[in-house]
Structures are given as structure tokens and as C-alpha cells.
DNA sequence: TGCCGAATTGAAGATTTCTTCAATTACTGC
DNA sequence: GCAGTAATTGAAGAAATCTTCAATTCGGCA
């Protein structure tokens, strides 16, 4: 392995680990979008958005093209939706699990939690 | 949204963004495994592994049970493999894309790169 | 009880990532 | 060319995460 695969994976997930970057990827799922419009949909300063876009661009997960006076961003590949979908499923599951744990605690105040993590 | 969803997603990905944590999740895909064995498979100090396991536990993606003198970890749900699979697909795609870009640059030294991001 | 190995915890310093600002580039229209 | 808008960049301080160490907990066993 030239660059250990698990390290590449870690970097990849770290690249996704920022609220603004997530929102950009979600917005781009509906198709290419100019920066101006991203800016209108995400509550963040222009230069901060640029910084986050630069992170996404460096990783290669999005591409940008200049069109007249605006810059348009697109997803680089079709698998991003799948990834975000998988993440959403796990999150839903995790939240449901925590909810289940809460219910369990409420129902039987003295036992239960011990068999779950922690 | 009580905690904005995109923030939860970002935290989730950040939780995945560490080589040791990735390796733990990959190892646990084959079934529950005691810490001792994780330690044998991952090159990291014991206390550092514990720290990373604590991060995974806090997020709820793994659970731990004490069995006699060892602690055994398991994945909390079945969707993790799917997520790692999606990530691998995208990574493959990204690396292939970069390779393609390199080929393109080699073939036509003066044009090409401009239409791709940056 | 006292000791041993397994694992976790808390804390401190080192490293990395975030945010923000001012400066700069790139394009359009006058 | 010059002014004006869109977007990016570089840099610096603030904030979060990593690594490592010593101390602690927990169960098993003599």
C-alpha cells in the first residue's frame, strides 16, 4: 500500500466532517449550482464558503467551472448520493437506538443500560 | 430540527475520520472482537486505542460488553458495511479520476486540466 | 485481602482544523 | 482602461482534536 488505504478513508471522512461541506454536497445532489446560489442557501460568509469549497475541490469530490461572471460547482461522480444515503440510514438507526435506550431506562429504571455500550 | 441534521451528519463523519477508528470498524465487520485482538491487529498503543474506542462508543456505532477478564466490542448495527462500501466506491472513483487526469496531462500537455476542478 | 493483567480515564502539550480579515484575481460593462 | 461585482487566496488567532503519560477501575485468582 503506497498510502495505507485506511488512512485515505480517514482523510475522506474528515473531508466530509463539516456542516457547510455537507450542505454543499446535499445541494449539489439536485444538479450543478453557482456559488451565488449556494451562498443564498447556506448561512455562511462568502469567504468561509470559498474555504470549504476549496477543501471539497482539493479532495476531488466536486468540480468547478467558470461561466461568465459566476462559478458553477458540480459533484464529480454519481456515488455521493449513495454515501449520504448510507450515512442517513446509520444516523437514523443510531438515533433510534438511543431513543430505544431511553425507553428502556424509563421502563425498567434499574436494569437494561448495562448491556448496551458503555 | 432540534439539532440541525447537517450538523449531526458532519459530527458523524468526523467520528469516522481517524485511521484507527476506521480499522476498528473494518475489523468488527467480521464479528465481535475483544480489545486484546484489536490491539494485536492495529499498530497503536493500548491507551490510544482505548481513546479511539471511547469515541466510537460515545457515538453509539459500537457497543462493548465485559466478558471475564476481557472486553468485547461489536458493531451496533448492520449498515456500517454498506457505508464503508459506499466510501470505498467513491474513493476508487476519485483515485481513478485523478489517474485519468494525470493521463490526460501526459497526453496533451497544454490543454485538458482546465475543464476539471481548479 | 492483596496482587496481577486488561482496559479505561483524565490531563497536558503538540498538531490540525476553523473562522475571519484584508488583499487579490477574474470577469463584465461603461 | 477603469469601476464594479463574484469568487478565491493567504495569513493569523481561536478552537477542536490527537497523542501520550500517569493514575485508576474492574475482574480473576492465589
Amino acid at each position: 500500500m503506497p498510502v495505507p488505504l485506511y488512512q485515505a478513508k480517514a482523510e475522506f471522512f474528515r473531508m466530509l466532517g463539516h456542516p457547510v461541506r455537507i450542505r454543499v454536497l446535499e445541494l449539489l445532489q439536485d444538479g450543478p449550482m453557482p456559488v451565488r446560489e449556494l451562498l443564498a442557501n447556506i448561512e455562511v460568509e462568502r469567504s468561509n464558503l470559498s474555504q470549504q469549497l476549496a477543501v471539497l475541490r482539493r479532495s476531488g469530490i466536486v468540480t468547478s467551472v467558470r461561466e461568465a461572471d459566476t462559478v458553477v460547482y458540480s459533484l464529480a461522480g454519481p456515488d455521493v448520493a449513495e454515501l449520504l444515503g448510507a450515512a442517513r440510514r446509520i444516523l437514523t438507526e443510531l438515533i433510534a437506538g438511543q431513543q430505544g435506550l431511553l425507553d428502556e431506562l424509563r421502563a425498567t429504571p434499574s436494569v437494561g443500560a448495562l448491556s448496551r455500550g458503555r
Side-chain angles (χ1 to χ4, degrees), chain A:
Chain A
M1 301 186 220
V3 172
L5 188 54
Y6 49 86
Q7 185 161 341
K9 283 191 192 173
E11 276 170 35
F12 176 72
F13 284 123
R14 228 180 308 136
M15 176 272 286
L16 295 172
H18 189 290
V20 169
R21 298 199 288 264
I22 291 289
R23 297 211 68 191
V24 168
L25 293 179
E26 287 180 340
L27 288 168
L28 292 184
Q29 279 186 87
D30 299 335
M33 189 176 280
V35 171
R36 175 176 29 77
E37 207 168 325
L38 291 171
L39 203 46
N41 281 277
I42 307 177
E43 208 163 282
V44 66
E45 286 186 29
R46 180 189 296 270
S47 72
N48 195 342
L49 177 60
S50 262
Q51 297 280 0
Q52 308 311 330
L53 289 173
V55 173
L56 293 174
R57 242 185 302 121
R58 259 178 254 130
S59 83
I61 203 172
V62 304
T63 58
S64 69
V65 180
R66 175 140 222 149
E67 285 185 8
D69 63 335
T70 69
V71 176
V72 178
Y73 278 81
S74 330
L75 293 185
D79 291 337
V80 174
E82 198 185 341
L83 180 83
L84 294 178
R88 186 155 42 93
R89 268 192 296 285
I90 296 188
L91 271 177
T92 305
E93 187 182 284
L94 290 181
I95 290 167
Q98 288 167 15
Q99 191 55 51
L101 176 56
L102 282 178
D103 295 347
E104 218 174 306
L105 282 169
R106 251 194 294 280
T108 59
S110 58
V111 295
L114 298 176
S115 64
R116 299 205 174 225
R118 154 111 297 223

